[in-house]
Amino acid sequence: MQFRTKARAVDLLGKGQIADLPTAITELWKNGYDAYADNLTAEIYLEGYKGLDQPMFVLTDDGKGMSQRDIFEKWLVLGTDSKSRAKLEKEESEETLWKKPRIKAGEKGIGRLSVAFLGSPMLMITKKQGHPLQGLFFDWRLLENYNLFLDDIIIPVKEFTDTDEIENVYWELAQEFLENLEKYEDEEGRLIWEDSQIELRNEIENAVTNLTPPDFIYEELIADMMEIDEDHGTKFLIFDPIEQIIGLARDDTDNLEDREFVTSSLSGFTNEFHKNRLGINTEIFIYRANETRDNFLEKWGKFFTKKDFDLADVIIEGRFDGKGSFNGKLQIYDEPVPYSFINPRKKDSRSDYGSFEMKLGYSQGQASESKLSDTAFKKINDKVRNYGGLYIYRDNFRVLPYGRGDYDFLKFEERRTKRFAAYFSYRRMFGFISLTRANNPKLKDKSSREGLINNSAYREFQNDLIALFTDLANEYFGSDAKQSIFLDKKDQLKKQSEEIKKDKKRETQEKRVFTMSLRDYPKRFEAYQEEYEELLSKLEEKTNSVEILYSDIEKILDRINTLNIEYKSLLPEVPKRYEPTDTQKDRLEQYENRLIEFNQTIKKQSEELIRLAKEKLQIKELRKEFLKGYQKYKANLENTAYEKKRELNKRFNFLLDDYSKRTERILKELEYEKDSLFENIVSKKQVLEAIDIIESKFEFLREQIEKELMPLVEHVNRLSFDIDEELLQGAYKAEYENIKRRWEQTRETAQLGVAVEIIDHEFNHLYSTINNTLDKLSKDDYVNDLTQFEFLKTNLKLLEEKYDLLSPLYRISGVTIKDIQCKQIFKYLKRFFSNNLEVQEISFKATQSFKDHIISIKEPVIHTVFINVINNALYWLRNSEEKIIRLDYWEETDEILIINSGSKIEEHRLERIFELFYSNRPNGRGIGLYLAKESLNENYFDIYATNDKTYNQLNGACFVIKPLN
């Protein structure tokens, strides 16, 4: 007797063991990585795309692929031992595609069965270098027949050797598979397809027989892999994918939660946080009926990279030893703090989970509590909102579901709800725990590949991490933390932000008040002018009267004098802190014109009348009039000065009180440190240690005084009646906004101008070539010369390509950051400068390290930078005997080098060449390198020139592009 295996067992091991869609895709991507693939893609083809009558799902890797022998001896053999295979790959060879040997991500040898989860029927096509393309057809629903044994099943495999016979081979595969449905009894007479399973049989038969793949599947997905003998890789074509896959392509809100779930699960497939990233590209594309293509993962923004730690307000970094001890460091805002922790738990060798590295960044929830600028805060906040979480990686591959928004395995949010050690929020953090099979063998995946098995090692692993974050919250970050460094800095940033907000709010309020006043002042002036004219009319009447009553004239003159004093209140108070808008200026000018007209007519005409009226008053009335005027002026000045003094006293008392509170807090902190040290001193050694600690605390608090208290004192000391701070600030603000606006306009115009100028020569050359060809074709001798027609077609194609080259240079704003393969940049540049390189006989090369490098940046930015630098190189290489341009990448310093053998840049010009309008080139405008540096800086990169022989190996010009620290 021997074991026999029912087909249903494979169904249970495959589809039955997979927790969800992301897990299925992840398992297959891992297999692709094990096959030395660098690019792993999933593609959803929707109904209507190039003739598709139903959606299709395709998974592709560019790994080493399989020969027919590999399919029979490996892919169709379950439970193959990945560790045994790893031993065969000790060095670079044909089996590793001449790449560095990889630690296997697959473990159980059944990950390939995950494809059954995705849908049926399935066509697998695979090609190994030097071998024919292989096809395997299968419908996984066949395994649901519980009467079938594995050795009863036919799995058709055939070679694709002729591109004209692809469709025939496909139908041969399908027909051979259908033979599985023709046999109703086994050799012992037992029914294979019982009545209860006839529906399943018919469903499979209808799906296979009615499946008619459109031409593009044969021509683009299959034929392309046959054309080049060195090509390699594997594709899984799922012709009836599960509904969840199709739902990813919808734009409605019904499946929004599921789309977010899949995105958060498949992002960060490999450890992008780590300096030793694997460099594997994973993408999901959606092809629509209108033949457009979307990148599903990029719709939600790019995943984290190691550079994002530069944007963290708090960084926790270190290593656990597997027994409860953590040793590492913190970075609280920009201040490094050494940190270690021991969880006082019982030690048991069975629960030793092994050492591992951890690095975590934390972003404050409010911009006012962050060290970042508004732009930088928005950048990291968007990523945290979409992908925030603590991710677990094993050998740099993500372990699901850790990192998902709904999987808070360290119970951060539970502690926040209970207000216990409640600083950390799971969705505000980003970072990784790095496990390895070698160091952490007791932390094992569940059979469903959904998390780690809850054994004693995992429980202690979880317990130690929770204890660590609890201690961190109690010691540094909680509202009652023992150490004040974080709280003080956060409070300082928050107050600064509040002051800026108040300043902006005050400015907004001033603008609103000023706008309202421009509506109100004309009405007030109209009433003022009407009363003034009425008083003048009465004064003229009284003055010309035969019987003069001096008391009447005196009363009228007194009121006119009061109106003259009030005239200043009719003048709008133009804010000093900001520049009025054009609309406000127009209204202000209209109002001022009315005032000028009043002063030049009514006010001027009244002066003579008032003089005549005063002449008729007696000397004692005039003296009385003089004193009344003086009293009015004095009262007005006293009221104004008193109000301002009261405001000054109020603000001064507030600042003095705040200063006293801050001082008291700092002194109490020193006293608290003294008390805690003094109580524990029982030996001379502890006394000496306490002295060092209290001295260190003193220095820290003295720095706090310098940072927190002294700026206010220095600001007050600088205040002077001779300087109008409001006016000065307003002037600087206005100038800054003006310069900023003008620069943005200039930069965009210049960027496009540079791009057009560089390509102008290429267009002129192509136009000339095409015109010459047309001239030749116009002669009788060439009318029937097909060679000339082909030449014309070629040049027209080149013209079209040159026009396409402009597209990456247009409008950088709105373009998203993406991973760009440097080999594609090199290919692009060779096309762009093809004519120049050929005419000048320049050797243009790139090292393999450059071609293998991937840079994450906006495509127009990096293209424009390379074009600017190489365009300059073409000029300075004209008179060189040896003409070389070389692109290189240094992994150890993360730097890209653009080197040429032309003229060396003089030492004193190395920095100046990046200045605006500085150029050593005849007729050069001096804007290209300046724009290159500015664009790179805005994208967290920098460029510089160097004559250091370590870099400048061609003894010409050498430019270096590197990430900004």
Side-chain angles (χ1 to χ4, degrees):
M1 293 294 292
Q2 61 183 5
F3 280 112
R4 294 187 68 194
T5 307
K6 285 279 184 104
R8 186 165 172 265
V10 178
D11 190 48
L12 294 173
L13 285 171
K15 186 166 59 176
Q17 287 289 302
I18 297 300
D20 49 44
L21 174 62
T23 305
I25 294 174
T26 296
E27 286 295 305
L28 293 167
W29 276 354
K30 285 181 180 179
N31 283 353
Y33 172 82
D34 287 349
Y36 290 90
D38 292 327
N39 298 287
L40 307 166
T41 61
E43 298 164 300
I44 304 171
Y45 294 87
L46 296 180
E47 183 179 350
Y49 177 84
K50 292 188 177 182
L52 266 181
D53 56 9
Q54 66 179 38
M56 181 176 71
F57 186 57
V58 179
L59 272 169
T60 304
D61 71 67
D62 61 355
K64 58 188 178 183
M66 292 178 282
S67 64
Q68 193 168 94
R69 180 177 177 179
D70 291 330
I71 294 175
F72 288 127
E73 295 184 0
K74 295 181 181 179
W75 202 82
L76 291 176
V77 178
L78 302 182
T80 52
D81 187 357
S82 61
K83 293 181 181 178
S84 296
R85 288 187 287 119
K87 292 176 183 177
L88 299 174
E89 300 166 359
K90 293 181 179 178
E91 57 186 24
E92 297 176 7
S93 66
E94 184 179 353
E95 278 299 306
T96 71
L97 297 180
W98 301 104
K99 300 172 186 176
K100 182 180 178 181
R102 296 177 175 178
I103 299 172
K104 300 300 178 182
E107 186 176 13
K108 298 179 174 62
I110 57 174
R112 71 206 68 167
L113 300 178
S114 302
V115 71
F117 185 93
L118 304 175
S120 282
M122 174 206 82
L123 173 65
M124 179 181 78
I125 56 175
T126 182
K127 186 177 187 302
K128 191 173 185 177
Q129 282 185 345
H131 293 263
L133 182 70
Q134 305 294 322
L136 180 153
F137 187 90
F138 198 70
D139 191 314
W140 297 97
R141 289 171 293 188
L142 184 67
L143 303 178
E144 295 175 20
N145 184 336
Y146 42 74
N147 290 325
L148 277 172
F149 287 91
L150 279 181
D151 48 11
D152 294 330
I153 293 176
I154 300 170
I155 302 178
V157 178
K158 291 188 177 295
E159 292 182 356
F160 291 92
T161 54
D162 189 337
T163 54
D164 294 330
E165 295 296 321
I166 292 176
E167 187 172 356
N168 291 336
V169 174
Y170 166 78
W171 283 113
E172 288 175 10
L173 287 167
Q175 290 303 315
E176 189 172 335
F177 170 79
L178 288 173
E179 292 178 18
N180 288 296
L181 309 179
E182 295 173 0
K183 192 175 181 181
Y184 281 83
E185 293 182 354
D186 62 14
E187 296 175 355
E188 298 177 7
R190 288 188 294 252
L191 280 176
I192 294 176
W193 294 101
E194 298 178 5
D195 292 343
S196 62
Q197 293 187 316
I198 291 298
E199 185 178 347
L200 172 64
R201 180 198 173 281
N202 294 339
E203 183 181 322
I204 296 172
E205 184 177 35
N206 290 335
V208 176
T209 55
N210 295 331
L211 179 62
T212 307
D215 291 342
F216 90 90
I217 293 179
Y218 301 128
E219 295 169 1
E220 298 178 19
L221 300 185
I222 301 178
D224 283 356
M225 293 185 69
M226 298 174 59
E227 292 177 355
I228 303 174
D229 191 52
E230 290 76 22
D231 209 354
H232 50 83
T234 301
K235 288 182 186 291
F236 294 97
L237 282 67
I238 314 299
F239 292 109
D240 187 15
I242 60 175
E243 175 59 30
Q244 188 182 9
I245 292 176
I246 310 307
L248 300 180
R250 297 196 182 102
D251 293 326
D252 54 53
T253 56
D254 294 343
N255 293 307
L256 181 60
E257 187 174 338
D258 190 53
R259 290 197 293 272
E260 289 178 346
F261 170 77
V262 173
T263 304
S264 67
S265 299
L266 292 178
S267 298
F269 173 65
T270 59
N271 192 351
E272 301 298 315
F273 298 103
H274 203 280
K275 58 185 177 182
N276 298 323
R277 61 189 294 268
L278 294 175
I280 304 301
N281 301 314
T282 57
E283 293 179 299
I284 299 178
F285 294 113
I286 300 171
Y287 295 84
R288 302 188 182 277
N290 59 3
E291 298 191 16
T292 58
R293 185 180 81 169
D294 299 333
N295 191 323
F296 175 75
L297 293 180
E298 285 194 358
K299 268 190 162 186
W300 304 88
K302 298 289 286 183
F303 191 69
F304 296 102
T305 69
K306 62 181 181 181
K307 295 177 185 175
D308 290 321
F309 285 120
D310 296 336
L311 303 179
D313 293 305
V314 174
I315 296 176
I316 304 162
E317 183 177 10
R319 178 173 284 275
F320 266 103
D321 67 352
K323 303 178 181 65
S325 296
F326 176 86
N327 189 46
K329 59 183 178 181
L330 311 177
Q331 183 174 302
I332 299 177
Y333 292 108
D334 290 322
E335 187 159 345
V337 179
Y339 175 75
S340 60
F341 167 76
I342 299 176
N343 189 16
R345 63 174 173 84
K346 181 181 178 182
K347 304 297 185 288
D348 187 335
S349 60
R350 291 172 299 178
S351 60
D352 185 347
Y353 45 79
S355 66
F356 65 84
E357 177 188 359
M358 182 182 78
K359 187 171 183 179
L360 169 73
Y362 195 86
S363 175
Q364 292 295 107
Q366 301 294 325
S368 61
E369 297 176 357
S370 174
K371 67 178 183 180
L372 303 176
S373 65
D374 289 345
T375 303
F377 180 80
K378 183 181 184 307
K379 176 184 176 182
I380 193 64
N381 195 51
D382 288 345
K383 284 194 175 186
V384 167
R385 184 174 60 249
N386 292 328
Y387 302 115
L390 181 54
Y391 293 74
I392 295 181
Y393 292 88
R394 190 199 308 281
D395 294 316
N396 282 327
F397 279 94
R398 184 172 171 188
V399 180
L400 290 173
Y402 307 100
R404 285 179 185 165
D406 61 348
Y407 201 77
D408 182 9
F409 77 104
L410 297 182
K411 304 176 183 177
F412 289 107
E413 302 308 324
E414 180 182 316
R415 291 195 294 280
R416 285 170 66 84
T417 303
K418 295 178 179 178
R419 299 186 180 278
F420 171 71
Y423 166 69
F424 294 102
S425 172
Y426 179 65
R427 294 309 302 271
R428 299 303 310 173
M429 61 179 61
F430 56 94
F432 67 93
I433 290 171
S434 182
L435 307 179
T436 65
R437 284 196 176 88
N439 287 344
N440 314 102
K442 294 180 183 177
L443 297 176
K444 301 177 181 291
D445 288 348
K446 293 179 182 177
S447 58
S448 63
R449 283 71 138 201
E450 183 73 358
L452 300 173
I453 295 173
N454 189 13
N455 55 22
S456 60
Y458 175 77
R459 288 191 292 274
E460 293 304 337
F461 164 78
Q462 184 183 39
N463 180 36
D464 288 345
L465 282 166
I466 291 174
L468 171 78
F469 286 106
T470 301
D471 182 71
L472 284 167
N474 290 333
E475 191 72 19
Y476 291 98
F477 303 110
S479 56
D480 299 319
K482 298 174 184 176
Q483 306 287 340
S484 66
I485 177 173
F486 172 75
L487 297 178
D488 288 346
K489 182 64 176 178
K490 184 178 78 168
D491 186 56
Q492 181 185 353
L493 289 171
K494 194 171 183 179
K495 286 182 177 178
Q496 288 174 355
S497 176
E498 287 173 355
E499 289 303 317
I500 292 172
K501 284 182 181 177
K502 287 178 185 176
D503 184 61
K504 289 182 179 178
K505 186 177 180 181
R506 182 169 58 180
E507 184 175 307
T508 302
Q509 183 63 26
E510 287 179 2
K511 288 180 180 179
R512 187 181 295 113
V513 170
F514 184 53
T515 300
M516 292 175 63
S517 72
L518 290 176
R519 298 173 188 164
D520 184 53
Y521 273 105
K523 297 177 183 177
R524 288 173 54 195
F525 176 71
E526 193 174 329
Y528 177 90
Q529 182 176 342
E530 187 178 323
E531 183 182 1
Y532 205 97
E533 289 177 345
E534 185 180 342
L535 287 169
L536 291 178
S537 178
K538 288 181 180 180
L539 182 62
E540 184 177 13
E541 180 185 338
K542 295 293 182 181
T543 303
N544 294 331
S545 176
V546 177
E547 297 181 0
I548 298 175
L549 291 175
Y550 294 115
S551 60
D552 291 345
I553 293 177
E554 184 180 359
K555 185 183 292 184
I556 295 172
L557 288 175
D558 184 51
R559 180 57 187 160
I560 289 175
N561 191 31
T562 300
L563 288 179
N564 286 336
I565 293 173
E566 291 177 355
Y567 176 78
K568 193 173 187 312
S569 67
L570 296 174
L571 302 176
E573 188 176 344
V574 181
K576 302 174 184 177
R577 294 162 49 79
Y578 74 93
E579 182 78 8
T581 64
D582 289 339
T583 303
Q584 289 174 334
K585 288 179 180 178
D586 290 341
R587 290 183 178 177
L588 186 61
E589 186 175 355
Q590 292 170 7
Y591 181 61
E592 285 178 344
N593 289 336
R594 291 185 62 182
L595 293 178
I596 291 170
E597 184 183 1
F598 171 77
N599 286 328
Q600 291 178 347
T601 55
I602 299 171
K603 191 86 178 284
K604 195 168 185 178
Q605 293 167 9
S606 70
E607 291 175 359
E608 180 64 20
L609 179 60
I610 292 172
R611 186 185 64 78
L612 291 173
K614 286 183 177 180
E615 283 182 355
K616 295 195 175 187
L617 294 175
Q618 298 293 330
I619 185 65
K620 64 177 183 178
E621 280 82 13
L622 289 173
R623 285 168 62 86
K624 190 188 297 181
E625 184 69 19
F626 169 78
L627 290 174
K628 281 184 179 180
Y630 161 74
Q631 292 296 337
K632 287 180 184 293
Y633 297 141
K634 180 183 177 184
N636 186 275
L637 292 174
E638 283 179 345
N639 287 337
T640 302
Y642 176 74
E643 285 299 319
K644 297 302 178 185
K645 183 179 179 182
R646 193 170 64 163
E647 288 180 22
L648 185 63
N649 278 334
K650 183 178 178 181
R651 186 61 187 169
F652 179 76
N653 289 332
F654 171 79
L655 290 173
L656 193 60
D657 183 58
D658 192 26
Y659 185 94
S660 299
K661 288 178 180 178
R662 291 169 184 258
T663 304
E664 185 179 1
R665 175 175 53 78
I666 290 172
L667 294 175
K668 281 187 175 180
E669 191 168 336
L670 184 65
E671 184 180 1
Y672 172 81
E673 189 73 29
K674 181 266 295 179
D675 291 341
S676 61
L677 290 170
F678 190 77
E679 290 174 2
N680 296 315
I681 292 176
V682 294
S683 67
K684 290 183 179 180
K685 182 181 178 182
Q686 287 179 319
V687 172
L688 296 175
E689 290 175 351
I691 290 172
D692 291 338
I693 293 172
I694 201 73
E695 183 180 354
S696 175
K697 190 69 174 181
F698 161 72
E699 292 296 338
F700 169 75
L701 293 175
R702 185 159 65 176
E703 284 184 17
Q704 290 295 102
I705 289 176
E706 292 293 329
K707 292 177 183 177
E708 192 174 336
L709 301 182
M710 291 311 295
L712 176 66
V713 178
E714 290 169 0
H715 177 68
V716 172
N717 284 333
R718 284 195 301 270
L719 294 178
S720 169
F721 285 111
D722 298 327
I723 299 175
D724 190 333
E725 296 280 351
E726 293 278 303
L727 184 61
L728 196 62
Q729 184 182 1
Y732 283 138
K733 273 189 176 181
E735 186 64 18
Y736 168 74
E737 292 297 330
N738 187 33
I739 291 172
K740 183 180 177 183
R741 182 173 60 253
R742 283 160 48 200
W743 166 238
E744 287 298 324
Q745 295 168 347
T746 303
R747 189 170 69 90
E748 284 199 358
T749 305
Q751 192 84 323
L752 184 57
V754 171
V756 173
E757 180 180 338
I758 290 171
I759 206 159
D760 177 64
H761 175 73
E762 300 296 325
F763 276 134
N764 288 335
H765 176 76
L766 288 169
Y767 287 139
S768 175
T769 305
I770 292 170
N771 285 327
N772 289 336
T773 306
L774 289 173
D775 288 341
K776 290 179 181 179
L777 288 174
S778 66
K779 299 176 182 179
D780 293 339
D781 295 342
Y782 291 96
V783 169
N784 297 318
D785 192 339
L786 293 177
T787 304
Q788 292 298 320
F789 277 109
E790 289 302 319
F791 188 66
L792 176 61
K793 284 170 63 179
T794 301
N795 279 283
L796 283 171
K797 182 64 178 175
L798 283 171
L799 180 60
E800 183 181 4
E801 289 178 354
K802 291 297 181 184
Y803 180 76
D804 288 342
L805 286 173
L806 275 174
S807 61
L809 306 177
Y810 289 138
R811 293 293 299 179
I812 291 175
S813 59
V815 178
T816 59
I817 294 173
K818 65 179 184 179
D819 288 342
I820 303 171
Q821 294 179 313
C822 286
K823 66 180 178 183
Q824 296 301 326
I825 296 175
F826 179 59
K827 184 178 179 182
Y828 171 88
L829 294 171
K830 285 180 71 175
R831 287 178 56 216
F832 193 97
F833 290 108
S834 57
N835 184 62
N836 302 74
L837 296 170
E838 183 179 349
V839 171
Q840 292 185 235
E841 297 181 340
I842 294 173
S843 171
F844 182 43
K845 298 180 180 179
T847 64
Q848 192 60 45
S849 61
F850 177 82
K851 293 177 183 177
D852 292 341
H853 180 53
I854 296 171
I855 185 171
S856 184
I857 196 171
K858 293 179 180 178
E859 187 176 31
V861 170
I862 198 65
H863 278 114
T864 305
V865 170
F866 272 99
I867 287 172
N868 271 316
V869 175
I870 293 175
N871 191 55
N872 283 337
L874 295 176
Y875 177 84
W876 295 108
L877 280 167
R878 291 176 309 160
N879 301 319
S880 299
E881 293 182 8
E882 190 179 26
K883 299 180 179 181
I884 302 172
I885 300 175
R886 188 166 74 211
L887 308 180
D888 197 0
Y889 171 70
W890 290 6
E891 186 176 358
E892 60 272 19
T893 57
D894 197 14
E895 292 176 317
I896 293 173
L897 278 63
I898 311 172
I899 321 169
N900 69 68
S901 59
S903 302
K904 182 182 287 189
I905 304 170
E906 297 90 338
E907 286 291 332
H908 66 277
R909 298 186 195 275
L910 289 174
E911 294 185 9
R912 293 206 65 194
I913 57 175
F914 296 101
E915 294 178 7
L916 186 60
F917 305 131
Y918 179 83
S919 177
N920 192 35
R921 177 175 166 179
N923 301 318
R925 296 206 307 272
I927 61 174
L929 289 176
Y930 176 77
L931 289 173
K933 193 176 185 72
E934 287 293 304
S935 298
L936 285 172
N937 287 172
E938 289 179 4
N939 286 268
Y940 306 100
F941 284 88
D942 193 19
I943 183 170
Y944 67 93
T946 179
N947 286 328
D948 184 340
K949 291 184 179 180
T950 309
Y951 290 87
N952 195 358
Q953 298 169 0
L954 297 179
N955 203 34
C958 176
F959 291 86
V960 183
I961 299 172
K962 66 172 186 175
L964 275 176
N965 294 327

